[in-house]
Amino acid sequence: MTTLFEVNTKLTECLHDFGLECHPFKVGWYNERVKSGYQLEHHEDTLCFVVISSPSFFEKGFIPFVRNSTESNNQDYLDQAISSCLKTAIQSISGYDISILHDYEMRPGTRRPKVLVQTAGHVSGAVYFYQKTDVINPPWLTDQPIYGVCLHPSYIGWFALRAVIIFQKVLVPDLVYKPPKDILVDETKKIELLNRYNNSWQDWSFRDIMEPTERYSELQQKYLSTRPSERSHLIELIKRN
Ligand code: B12
């Protein structure tokens, strides 16, 4: 458990400076939930962390990254910023065999993501993953696809699940499962959340299904609602100010 404590403390401290959170879980908890095509091929007791960007990531991690970067390859600035912050955090803990799976990475030759970050978030206890199956009397047709969505106990919908960090050779058989908080105890709220997420996600109202402690800043909202191909003037603005 000392390894877990040390790694957890260092990662948490370092990521916090960038507005990122991390929460530990075991591969086995994740694999128990997902179908075989999504499973992680590691021992069931392998230590992993799910990484969440809080509303302040934009100001604490993203903007400094943009201001310090001299050139850009074609990759999204947000993805580059996350990757750079994670690399910095990992450098603070040496001697481990670590792999990072980003939310946008696909398994080669398939259209399946390397990791389902919502399930990872749920089994880590950090966020609750609301799915169609959480609703006892669903108003939807049985075969109607309804995408699930996670809520954070503080930021509600104002966050993103960015990555999973795997400590390939660290086994934590004694890690204690911490169930996520179901903050929507009312069935009608769960239905409303899933309807907002599936039918009107563009208006972002699913993020406000309850009152959050923090929301994205105006600039962050503007940046995210601008198409990636049209973000260059915002990047210039951020670099200049
Ligand atoms: C592909 C994808 C999409 C696709 C398809 C969505 C989907 N859910 O399938 C499309 C393009 C439609 C999409 C859209 C959006 N997306 Co999207 N998307 C993804 C992505 C990359 C992969 C999801 C995926 O392929 N799922 C495959 C299906 C099969 O997984 P699943 O439904 O979860 O099924 C598993 C679980 O049910 C699990 N399971 C079974 N039983 C149980 C029981 C329990 C208790 C648990 C925990 C699990 C579990 O097993 C199943 C697999 O075997 C994820 C990032 C990632 N890497 O996870 C983001 C992600 C889900 N998207 C996200 C968002 C925000 C959006 C959008 C709002 C757009 C945006 N980015 O702003 C819209 C909203 C949806 C809509 N109305 O269109 C966020 C959701 C954040 C959150 N709070 O939950 C994610 C996590 C990205 C992120 N970085 O945060 N998305």
Side-chain angles (χ1 to χ4, degrees), residues 187-205:
E187 166 113 346
T188 55
K189 273 274 188 203
K190 290 180 186 171
I191 295 171
E192 193 182 336
L193 171 70
L194 291 172
N195 278 336
R196 286 187 194 183
Y197 185 72
N198 281 269
N199 307 330
S200 50
W201 62 270
Q202 294 91 339
D203 68 12
W204 288 14
S205 63

Side-chain angles (χ1 to χ4, degrees), residues 123-225:
V123 300
S124 78
V127 291
Y128 195 102
F129 185 21
Y130 293 94
Q131 305 184 75
K132 202 178 173 181
T133 43
D134 284 286
V135 176
I136 301 157
N137 293 307
W140 312 286
L141 298 172
T142 331
D143 57 356
Q144 192 177 342
I146 297 290
Y147 299 136
V149 56
C150 294
L151 293 186
H152 185 283
S154 313
Y155 313 130
I156 312 301
W158 298 89
F159 69 95
L161 294 141
R162 299 294 183 178
V164 164
I165 303 175
I166 306 176
F167 284 76
Q168 309 207 47
K169 292 189 182 130
V170 179
L171 301 184
V172 283
D174 299 332
L175 184 64
V176 179
Y177 184 79
K178 190 178 124 242
K181 247 194 221 158
D182 177 2
I183 53 173
L184 300 181
V185 279
D186 184 349
E187 166 113 346
T188 55
K189 273 274 188 203
K190 290 180 186 171
I191 295 171
E192 193 182 336
L193 171 70
L194 291 172
N195 278 336
R196 286 187 194 183
Y197 185 72
N198 281 269
N199 307 330
S200 50
W201 62 270
Q202 294 91 339
D203 68 12
W204 288 14
S205 63
F206 73 90
R207 300 188 196 270
D208 276 326
I209 193 83
M210 281 177 67
E211 188 61 25
T213 54
E214 253 177 90
R215 291 186 176 84
Y216 293 167
S217 63
E218 239 173 74
L219 181 60
Q220 176 165 197
Q221 293 193 36
K222 195 166 170 190
Y223 186 84
L224 295 175
S225 349

Side-chain angles (χ1 to χ4, degrees), residues 1-238:
M1 268 301 150
T2 22
T3 310
L4 172 64
F5 181 77
E6 257 174 51
V7 167
N8 196 1
T9 310
K10 277 198 179 163
L11 259 190
T12 303
E13 275 173 8
C14 192
L15 292 175
H16 180 262
D17 295 342
F18 297 124
L20 297 169
E21 281 182 7
C22 67
H23 302 266
F25 70 94
K26 289 203 274 190
V27 160
W29 298 343
Y30 172 87
N31 283 352
E32 269 167 28
R33 297 297 190 181
V34 301
K35 288 198 187 125
S36 58
Y38 293 103
Q39 285 176 352
L40 299 171
E41 289 183 357
H42 297 279
H43 185 282
E44 60 177 1
D45 288 327
T46 308
L47 174 63
C48 303
F49 289 86
V50 67
V51 179
I52 290 176
S53 56
S54 77
S56 68
F57 165 71
F58 196 79
E59 281 70 28
K60 291 181 179 167
F62 178 73
I63 291 182
F65 173 82
V66 170
R67 289 197 178 136
N68 287 331
S69 75
T70 44
E71 52 172 332
S72 165
N73 53 34
N74 283 335
Q75 206 195 350
D76 186 282
Y77 261 105
L78 265 175
D79 294 344
Q80 288 184 55
I82 293 281
S83 176
S84 155
C85 295
L86 292 186
K87 272 188 202 141
T88 307
I90 276 165
Q91 276 162 8
S92 72
I93 353 168
S94 53
Y96 293 100
D97 215 338
I98 292 170
S99 62
I100 301 176
L101 308 180
H102 293 274
D103 60 331
Y104 53 80
E105 284 186 287
M106 297 290 147
R107 289 168 189 248
T110 74
R111 295 178 72 182
R112 267 178 286 120
K114 285 193 177 171
V115 65
L116 296 175
V117 286
Q118 294 170 302
T119 294
H122 185 101
V123 300
S124 78
V127 291
Y128 195 102
F129 185 21
Y130 293 94
Q131 305 184 75
K132 202 178 173 181
T133 43
D134 284 286
V135 176
I136 301 157
N137 293 307
W140 312 286
L141 298 172
T142 331
D143 57 356
Q144 192 177 342
I146 297 290
Y147 299 136
V149 56
C150 294
L151 293 186
H152 185 283
S154 313
Y155 313 130
I156 312 301
W158 298 89
F159 69 95
L161 294 141
R162 299 294 183 178
V164 164
I165 303 175
I166 306 176
F167 284 76
Q168 309 207 47
K169 292 189 182 130
V170 179
L171 301 184
V172 283
D174 299 332
L175 184 64
V176 179
Y177 184 79
K178 190 178 124 242
K181 247 194 221 158
D182 177 2
I183 53 173
L184 300 181
V185 279
D186 184 349
E187 166 113 346
T188 55
K189 273 274 188 203
K190 290 180 186 171
I191 295 171
E192 193 182 336
L193 171 70
L194 291 172
N195 278 336
R196 286 187 194 183
Y197 185 72
N198 281 269
N199 307 330
S200 50
W201 62 270
Q202 294 91 339
D203 68 12
W204 288 14
S205 63
F206 73 90
R207 300 188 196 270
D208 276 326
I209 193 83
M210 281 177 67
E211 188 61 25
T213 54
E214 253 177 90
R215 291 186 176 84
Y216 293 167
S217 63
E218 239 173 74
L219 181 60
Q220 176 165 197
Q221 293 193 36
K222 195 166 170 190
Y223 186 84
L224 295 175
S225 349
T226 304
R227 272 204 221 141
S229 59
E230 288 159 18
R231 285 175 180 166
S232 52
H233 73 285
L234 288 170
I235 291 289
E236 284 315 309
L237 193 86
I238 290 168

